[in-house]
Amino acid sequence: MHQFRAANGPNARAKGYRLFDFDMLGLAPALTEALAHAGLSQPTPIQNQAIPLALEGHDILGLAQTGTGKTLAFGLPLIDHLLAMPGKPAPKTAKALVLAPTRELANQIAENLRGLTVKTKIRVAIVVGGQSIGRQIELLRRGTDILVATPGRLIDLMERDAVDLGTVRHLVLDEADQMLDLGFIHALRKIAPRLGTPRQTMLFSATMPKQMEELSRAYLTDPRRVQVAPPGKAADKITQSIHFLEKPRKPAKLREILSRDLDALTLVFARTKHGAEKLMKGLVADGYNAASIHGNKSQGQRDRAIKAFRDRTVTVLVATDVAARGIDIPDVGYVVNYELPEVPDNYVHRIGRTARAGREGEAISFCAPEEGDLLRQIQKLMKVEIPVASGKMSAMASLEKVGRRKGPARRSGRKSGAVAEVEKAGTAKRRRPRRRRAA
């Protein structure tokens, strides 16, 4: 449970938070014992605000930077409620459902919850894509207290009548903004009507796009909003910098940065699956201890790569945005954005893989001429200018203009699933074909 070791922020009292100790919250003895065993006494700011409200049964809309302990913020009150519920779960049923957008994040959540329930009768099950659905059907046959799932695999199991969600009385949507971006809004609309009522719903994220406001109105009832940092703000202990350089110079610059501290854990983000794999193979060929994770890797390969990175068998992990929210390794010292993300929010989540649990970290980004607009979107979101480590933005801007004259401007940014759906509906009415003039 190392990921829960963040202390209260130094400005917590100055911001007017009422600070609790965990043993003041009236949690079940098994939970206070698990927290004490992990060396935890005080909640982080998001936990401090969310846990008392969640224990009272309120729906929660929680906003906090990555690495600040959101899992514990919903996990503690969720487990406390379940411990007070009599009876075992019936076959194929669950009492609580936690939805996460990626396999890595779902695995991380399940691991954390199991750490809290180790001395209880609470059962935690996980179902994600990339694993045997037959085994998952067998797992759910016994029923479970907490089901952690990715939306796609959960719907597969629902369609096979392998799970009955009618007994779910607690729903958690973790990283809900990414669910919107990945188009999971359709999945949520299939899942929500199958859940039991009344229920408590908790929605947590590090960013707050407008579409998530709409999501909260649709799925939460009179929610209590808790926020410990402006949406889109990076953790205070992350040192950020940007290098302006042309694309062919990126490989050399990356190797220069990696060579400064060969023992440090460094997470390198690429934009595409093919690009991540090619970059990793090039680093291995040059003698760097590297591995990769992306959508073309099997779940077993991804799990082994993350374990090797966590165990320091591998010190450089090259990844796509599949890992932007699914890796919680406190020892990550550096995040390198080899390519800037097309979705500005993902920059915040990427760099949030470092400076976790109260530690310090460094985020280094490369910006090629064609990525200038992506950088502007990121800085607009964060309301800061990232310090320049090398190169000049003015030179980049002129290069970008030359590139635009040579061809059409490149589209930057992916639309979220919710936005795409709205736009599709708005253009559903076809235009009438033009009449041809008589010859």
Side-chain angles (χ1 to χ4, degrees), residues 113-351:
L113 295 179
R114 285 170 179 153
L116 292 171
T117 60
V118 65
K119 292 190 177 181
T120 73
K121 294 182 179 180
I122 299 296
R123 187 182 304 158
V124 180
I126 179 171
V127 292
V128 298
Q131 297 180 356
S132 168
I133 195 168
R135 291 180 182 176
Q136 292 174 354
I137 290 172
E138 188 62 32
L139 174 68
L140 292 174
R141 201 181 303 276
R142 297 186 303 159
T144 186
D145 294 283
I146 302 174
L147 178 60
V148 184
T150 50
R153 176 49 59 93
L154 180 59
I155 288 178
D156 289 342
L157 291 163
M158 289 165 54
E159 291 175 346
R160 297 180 185 220
D161 293 324
V163 60
D164 177 5
L165 301 178
T167 58
V168 170
R169 292 294 183 270
H170 299 272
L171 171 65
V172 178
L173 303 177
D174 197 17
E175 304 291 10
D177 57 337
Q178 191 182 19
M179 288 193 196
L180 285 171
D181 188 59
L182 293 178
F184 286 140
I185 186 69
H186 309 290
L188 290 176
R189 287 174 179 164
K190 290 183 179 179
I191 294 168
R194 305 282 287 272
L195 303 176
T197 56
R199 64 176 177 269
Q200 180 186 42
T201 301
M202 292 183 276
L203 187 155
F204 283 83
S205 181
T207 58
M208 187 67 178
K210 292 181 180 178
Q211 292 76 27
M212 206 169 84
E213 291 274 13
E214 299 169 5
L215 186 72
S216 67
R217 288 195 294 270
Y219 294 100
L220 278 66
T221 302
D222 189 24
R224 299 297 188 268
R225 176 167 173 156
V226 293
Q227 179 176 331
V228 297
K233 185 179 183 297
D236 295 332
K237 293 190 176 183
I238 300 176
T239 301
Q240 301 178 63
S241 63
I242 189 86
H243 293 268
F244 293 111
L245 73 175
E246 296 180 52
K247 187 176 179 178
R249 293 180 53 208
K250 286 187 177 184
K253 176 59 71 173
L254 176 61
R255 285 154 177 77
E256 174 190 324
I257 291 169
L258 293 176
S259 298
R260 295 174 189 169
D261 190 352
L262 293 173
D263 295 327
L265 293 184
T266 303
L267 183 55
V268 180
F269 281 102
R271 190 177 299 133
T272 67
K273 295 176 283 189
H274 174 73
E277 189 69 11
K278 181 179 179 181
L279 180 58
M280 179 275 293
K281 289 180 178 178
L283 290 172
V284 170
D286 288 344
Y288 292 92
N289 197 0
S292 65
I293 59 170
H294 48 73
N296 283 346
K297 297 280 188 177
S298 69
Q299 188 60 44
Q301 289 173 318
R302 287 155 68 166
D303 290 343
R304 287 190 292 273
I306 291 175
K307 184 179 186 303
F309 191 54
R310 188 187 300 275
D311 295 342
R312 291 182 172 271
T313 307
V314 164
T315 55
V316 180
L317 185 63
V318 184
T320 57
D321 282 327
V322 71
R325 313 190 193 203
I327 294 182
D328 187 2
I329 301 175
D331 294 333
V332 174
Y334 301 89
V335 169
V336 178
N337 288 301
Y338 188 81
E339 294 167 312
L340 294 178
E342 293 189 338
V343 179
D345 286 341
N346 282 354
Y347 175 86
V348 180
H349 294 292
R350 283 182 178 189
I351 69 174

Side-chain angles (χ1 to χ4, degrees), residues 432-438:
R432 293 182 179 179
R434 293 180 180 179
R435 293 182 179 178
R436 292 185 178 181
R437 293 181 179 178

